[in-house]
Amino acid sequence: MSNWHLLNSRVCNVIIVCWILFSYFPGFILSAVVTLGSIEIFRTHDWIKTKPTVYFKCKDGNKTVLPDVEKASVLYNFRGEESWQPLTDLSSEKCKRCGFYEEDTIKSDYVFEEWELCPSDFAAPDGKYIRFKEKEYNATFFCMQCIPDSNSASHRHKGGHATEILLVVLLSALVTSVLILGVVAGYKYWLKKKREQDQARFLKLFEDEDDIEDELGLGNVI
Ligand SMILES: *[C@@H]1O[C@H](CO)[C@@H](O)[C@H](O)[C@H]1NC(C)=O
Ligand SMILES: *[C@@H]1O[C@H](CO)[C@@H](O)[C@H](O)[C@H]1NC(C)=O
């Protein structure tokens, strides 16, 4: 019955793969990425380096260095597709504590500002959010999937719909694989049974022939 063991392990694999997809995919579909639209810093802080190293970072997130930002009082516009974008994502619907910083060669990094970046900040119809701090910086962010209120309902609904469709597709795939595996296992089992029956019939044929020979032998003796 090693076939059955193999089959069981295959079914287990399918279930595990589906489970992994289910647990990661919904988040992926509803992901609300935040991109940087523009930034202007009003002054730099490192006295040693000529070019500042400005970066964006959220708590427990990665550091995103803004490689283009080299001068103060220059407005840098971005298209959202740069290699270092997006800055972060707000798919959990919770705020994230994020900030703009400048690396410092001697002291600890300079903090332009640290604040709570929330999905509800992106209330404008185009998903734009302007963050301005006097004498420090002026930045615009975009998050299309973050748009709250009436718009959000339809957005979320779309997201939910997509998840539902995905769920159905994955479930059908799972059911189909289990069915196919079942049919294959059933067929193999039937073949094995048939072979055993044929063998039994074949052996029985020999036994019958032996009986006839015995009878003949007996007849010779008589
Ligand atoms: C941080 O970067 C690493 C490697 O580039 C990546 O695997 C990880 O998912 C990132 N973490 C976050 C929170 O973006
Ligand atoms: C900040 O930048 C945006 C976009 O460039 C601009 O519309 C806005 O007027 C600026 N705000 C200030 C206070 O400079």
Side-chain angles (χ1 to χ4, degrees):
M1 281 287 164
S2 66
N3 271 348
W4 281 107
H5 280 282
L6 195 69
L7 176 74
N8 279 345
S9 73
R10 271 187 200 152
V11 170
C12 276
N13 283 347
V14 170
I15 289 172
I16 289 169
V17 166
C18 283
W19 181 75
I20 289 171
L21 280 175
F22 277 123
S23 38
Y24 282 94
F25 235 66
F28 178 69
I29 278 196
L30 295 172
S31 82
V33 293
V34 177
T35 55
L36 186 65
S38 71
I39 189 167
E40 173 178 0
I41 53 170
F42 298 129
R43 56 187 175 137
T44 60
H45 304 85
D46 193 328
W47 295 92
I48 295 171
K49 282 195 282 183
T50 47
K51 285 179 187 170
T53 304
V54 178
Y55 66 92
F56 176 91
K57 188 181 179 304
C58 291
K59 195 171 173 285
D60 303 326
N62 287 333
K63 201 164 153 174
T64 308
V65 175
L66 311 175
D68 306 301
V69 180
E70 295 180 340
K71 288 200 182 98
S73 303
V74 173
L75 178 68
Y76 295 92
N77 281 303
F78 305 108
R79 301 197 301 178
E81 307 163 340
E82 289 79 10
S83 56
W84 44 268
Q85 300 260 34
L87 290 182
T88 183
D89 76 289
L90 292 172
S91 33
S92 71
E93 299 190 23
K94 263 189 157 182
C95 303
K96 271 190 183 172
R97 190 144 192 91
C98 305
F100 279 114
Y101 310 84
E102 184 185 331
E103 278 180 7
D104 200 294
T105 4
I106 303 166
K107 299 177 272 116
S108 57
D109 290 358
Y110 180 80
V111 182
F112 285 97
E113 190 188 20
E114 224 175 56
W115 80 101
E116 294 277 330
L117 184 66
C118 302
S120 57
D121 289 335
F122 299 87
D126 54 355
K128 187 176 179 179
Y129 171 52
I130 300 177
R131 184 88 196 169
F132 169 75
K133 192 176 177 197
E134 210 172 332
K135 294 192 186 133
E136 297 290 359
Y137 74 97
N138 178 11
T140 57
F141 301 89
F142 285 96
C143 176
M144 289 314 287
Q145 285 83 25
C146 291
I147 302 169
D149 302 325
S150 56
N151 280 338
S152 126
S154 67
H155 262 266
R156 292 264 152 70
H157 196 74
K158 258 189 228 157
H161 223 72
T163 318
E164 269 168 34
I165 291 170
L166 189 80
L167 219 79
V168 169
V169 168
L170 281 179
L171 262 182
S172 349
L174 179 72
V175 169
T176 314
S177 352
V178 169
L179 267 181
I180 288 173
L181 286 176
V183 166
V184 167
Y187 178 65
K188 281 194 177 162
Y189 184 70
W190 177 77
L191 269 187
K192 202 176 160 215
K193 271 271 159 222
K194 193 166 176 290
R195 212 177 301 132
E196 275 171 7
Q197 274 175 3
D198 285 351
Q199 257 168 9
R201 214 175 293 144
F202 196 59
L203 285 177
K204 192 145 182 300
L205 209 70
F206 270 106
E207 274 169 23
D208 288 351
E209 263 177 30
D210 281 352
D211 286 350
I212 294 168
E213 267 172 27
D214 282 352
E215 271 168 32
L216 284 178
L218 205 70
N220 279 349
V221 168
I222 291 172

